[in-house]
């Protein structure tokens, strides 16, 4: 990301950028609790994870030396069903980040009304520093270390930043070999040939595109001709960009980690290689202009979709965002400070827990297919995903209209009321 020097020069920005996912998630929970009549003890319980598993993952490098990495699985809440959420391979993975992201998974599953709780995990490693063989060894060992705490009825991992369908296939294989039986339902986001669902890969981007269309229409505009800037061209950003482009929007800017390209007439998003097709190839695509990742966030467009990493919209740059609508493709792209600025400026922000929830929703479909040993067609996945997204959007919109709140608060009201009611109904054990 460009201009790290600004971050160092500006203490407010620096502290904002380092706001951990856990701090943001806790603030959002406490804010949502003020909007509902929820038992304080339940809120306090939900501010903490049920468990955080920290494991050591030694990996033999290709040259025969051994490096030791730290892995985590933070299980936040399972009152509504098994823990569910991704595993990321990224150098910034920490315990607190996993807890915060796990908490968001609880709300994401609840807002979609899926019978899952929330979890997140990962390994603090730069995946670019690993060969394919090293990634496989790391994954198999990590799976071995997590074996006792994951399972198709207890905790079901999925891909996240730095992990892929292939990573999930290795995880499933390692788990299955130890269990002595093929257990596809232990992870989702696998390649379809080993029990993955059609449409799972593209699902987070598809839901971002669906929700963007709903939100644009809600504010009285037509998607055709709407200008969109998208940060990130991976599974979320690229799939959202291509669908929005197909539906008539003008995707004028996209970026990857090295920066972005801009065309005021709209880019041909299908011609730009996605991260999966060719990593970090966005700048290699011919376009009238280039932009830095910071500049992309401030472009004068109708819709901004941050779909790369967390904490990119901060109190320091939220005042300079020119978009009329922000749709969160990444998890946690907006800090608490930025959320306040957007609320003051009356720029609607459709939150991650709704916008990118297509991923976990198709994970749920995949899990159903795995445990029923029955495959769904891509058409069925699209039909059911579209229906689930419509229904979640409508439910959140009802709260948005009934209360003087932001879209994030409305989504939290829906999610927290479901989770809190489940806790109140089950009661405390023992
Ligand atoms: N990692 C994805 C997310 O953040 C998907 C999680 C899942 O499918 O379990 O929503």
């Amino acid at each position: 990301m460009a201009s790290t020097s600004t971050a160092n020069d500006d203490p407010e920005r620096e502290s904002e950028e380092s706001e951990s996912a856990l701090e943001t998630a806790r603030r959002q929970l406490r804010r949502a609790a003020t909007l509902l009549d929820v038992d304080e003890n339940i809120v306090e319980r939900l501010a903490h994870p049920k468990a955080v598993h920290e494991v050591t993952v030694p990996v033999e490098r290709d040259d025969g030396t051994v490096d030791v990495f730290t892995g985590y699985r933070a299980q936040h809440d399972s009152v509504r069903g098994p823990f569910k959420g991704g595993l990321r391979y990224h150098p910034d993975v920490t315990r607190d980040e996993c807890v915060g992201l796990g908490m968001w998974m609880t709300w994401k599953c609840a807002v979609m009304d899926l019978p899952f709780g929330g979890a997140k995990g990962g390994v603090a490693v730069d995946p670019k520093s690993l060969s394919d063989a090293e990634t496989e060894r790391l994954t198999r060992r990590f799976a071995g270390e997590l074996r006792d705490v994951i399972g198709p009825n207890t905790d079901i991992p999925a891909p996240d930043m730095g992990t892929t369908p292939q990573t999930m296939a290795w995880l499933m294989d390692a788990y299955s070999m130890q269990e002595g039986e093929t257990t596809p339902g232990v992870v989702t986001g696998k390649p379809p040939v080993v029990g993955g669902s059609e449409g799972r890969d593209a699902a987070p981007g598809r839901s971002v595109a669906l929700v963007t269309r709903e939100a644009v229409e809600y504010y009285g505009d037509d998607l055709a001709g709407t200008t969109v800037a998208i940060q990130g061209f991976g599974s979320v950003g690229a799939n959202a960009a291509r669908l929005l482009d197909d539906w008539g929007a003008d995707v004028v800017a996209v970026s990857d980690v090295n920066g972005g390209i801009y065309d005021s007439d709209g880019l041909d998003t299908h011609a730009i290689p996605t991260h999966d097709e060719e990593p970090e190839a966005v700048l290699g695509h011919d376009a009238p202009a280039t932009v830095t990742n910071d500049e992309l966030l401030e472009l004068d467009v109708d819709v901004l979709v941050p779909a790369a990493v967390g904490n990119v919209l901060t109190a320091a740059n939220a005042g300079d965002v020119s978009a009329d609508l922000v749709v969160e493709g990444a998890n946690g792209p907006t800090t608490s400070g930025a959320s306040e600025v957007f609320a003051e400026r009356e720029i609607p922000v459709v939150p991650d827990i709704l916008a990118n929830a297509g991923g976990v929703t198709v994970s749920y479909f995949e899990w159903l297919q795995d445990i029923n040993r029955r495959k769904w067609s891509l058409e069925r996945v699209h039909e059911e995903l579209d229906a689930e997204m419509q229904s979640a959007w409508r439910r959140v919109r009802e709260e948005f209209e009934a209360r003087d709140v932001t879209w994030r608060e409305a989504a939290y009201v829906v999610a927290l009321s479901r989770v809190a009611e489940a806790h109140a109904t089950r009661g405390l054990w023992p």
Side-chain angles (χ1 to χ4, degrees):
M1 197 110 335
S3 63
T4 35
S5 59
T6 352
N8 294 337
D9 297 346
D10 180 343
E12 185 193 3
R13 178 167 178 169
E14 191 178 23
S15 66
E16 261 266 314
E17 280 187 339
S18 58
E19 178 183 71
S20 73
L22 178 56
E23 284 165 333
T24 314
R26 281 196 173 137
R27 257 184 241 191
Q28 291 167 347
L29 165 64
R30 298 223 152 92
R31 166 78 193 127
T34 66
L35 301 167
L36 285 168
D37 182 19
V38 197
D39 181 345
E40 266 176 42
N41 297 316
I42 291 177
V43 177
E44 191 50 32
R45 156 72 188 81
L46 288 168
H48 299 273
K50 180 194 172 273
V52 184
H53 306 282
E54 179 177 328
V55 297
T56 295
V57 189
V59 179
E60 186 178 337
R61 306 302 295 240
D62 294 339
D63 66 5
T65 58
V66 173
D67 278 336
V68 178
F69 300 98
T70 304
Y72 303 91
R73 184 67 176 170
Q75 299 174 323
H76 174 243
D77 187 77
S78 64
V79 73
R80 290 166 46 87
F83 298 106
K84 185 84 193 80
L87 289 177
R88 52 172 63 176
Y89 291 171
H90 193 277
D92 296 341
V93 166
T94 60
R95 178 193 185 280
D96 277 5
E97 187 194 59
C98 294
V99 175
L101 290 161
M103 213 183 269
W104 285 330
M105 285 309 304
T106 301
W107 314 134
K108 200 183 288 189
C109 293
V111 94
M112 295 308 301
D113 212 3
L114 306 176
F116 287 140
K120 189 77 86 176
V123 179
V125 61
D126 179 359
K128 284 192 242 169
S129 71
L130 301 171
S131 69
D132 284 353
E134 289 167 343
T135 308
E136 179 174 352
R137 288 197 286 277
L138 173 99
T139 303
R140 289 184 181 281
R141 181 59 187 253
F142 188 35
E145 297 298 333
L146 291 184
R147 180 186 170 191
D148 290 346
V149 296
I150 61 173
N153 296 313
T154 48
D155 184 351
I156 307 140
D160 202 272
M161 273 165 64
T163 55
T164 62
Q166 177 62 66
T167 322
M168 297 304 117
W170 288 325
L171 234 144
M172 184 277 253
D173 184 67
Y175 182 87
S176 298
M177 295 313 285
Q178 290 178 297
E179 291 295 306
E181 58 183 36
T182 296
T183 315
V186 66
V187 290
T188 58
K190 303 174 293 295
V193 71
V194 287
S197 179
E198 298 296 337
R200 169 62 185 80
D201 236 2
R206 186 175 182 88
S207 68
V208 167
L210 288 165
V211 165
T212 300
R213 183 170 65 187
E214 291 302 326
V216 165
E217 287 171 5
Y218 181 80
Y219 285 103
D221 290 318
D222 195 350
L223 192 62
T226 289
T227 55
V228 186
I230 302 187
Q231 185 181 65
F233 212 60
S235 115
V236 185
N239 285 302
R242 288 177 174 178
L243 264 182
L244 289 168
D245 188 6
D246 293 348
W247 293 343
D250 291 333
V251 178
V252 294
V254 300
S255 69
D256 62 24
V257 68
N258 300 316
I261 50 178
Y262 176 80
D263 184 345
S264 58
D265 292 333
L267 296 157
D268 177 1
T269 57
H270 289 273
I272 307 164
T274 68
H275 183 80
D276 288 347
E277 290 161 1
E278 190 189 337
E280 300 182 23
V282 168
L283 286 178
H285 184 81
D286 208 20
T290 58
V291 285
T292 64
N293 265 302
D294 284 352
E295 286 164 352
L296 182 143
L297 298 172
E298 297 172 11
L299 286 173
D300 187 8
V301 288
D302 299 317
V303 184
L304 171 65
V305 181
V309 291
N311 283 4
V312 294
L313 294 168
T314 66
N317 66 2
D320 297 320
V321 166
S322 310
D324 300 320
L325 169 70
V326 177
V327 179
E328 294 185 334
N331 289 318
T334 312
T335 64
S336 311
S339 289
E340 277 168 34
V341 175
F342 289 135
E344 276 158 29
R345 296 184 61 208
E346 296 183 8
I347 296 177
V349 179
V350 183
D352 45 9
I353 58 167
L354 173 65
N356 71 26
V360 74
T361 303
V362 177
S363 277
Y364 170 56
F365 300 161
E366 180 171 330
W367 181 75
L368 289 178
Q369 293 170 68
D370 289 340
I371 57 184
N372 289 307
R373 301 287 198 262
R374 177 114 203 233
K375 253 191 143 21
W376 296 11
S377 66
L378 181 62
E379 291 67 36
R380 177 165 176 197
V381 169
H382 282 172
E383 215 173 277
E384 300 226 8
L385 174 61
D386 295 5
E388 295 293 343
M389 292 310 304
Q390 286 291 342
S391 130
W393 165 261
R394 272 197 303 273
R395 185 66 198 88
V396 171
R397 195 185 61 198
E398 273 167 26
E399 293 299 341
F400 179 77
E401 286 174 347
R403 303 161 186 263
D404 184 20
V405 293
T406 63
W407 286 98
R408 189 184 318 280
E409 288 160 349
Y412 264 75
V413 163
V414 174
L416 179 59
S417 53
R418 286 179 178 150
V419 173
E421 208 180 314
H423 272 286
T425 308
R426 281 182 61 167
L428 202 58
W429 181 88

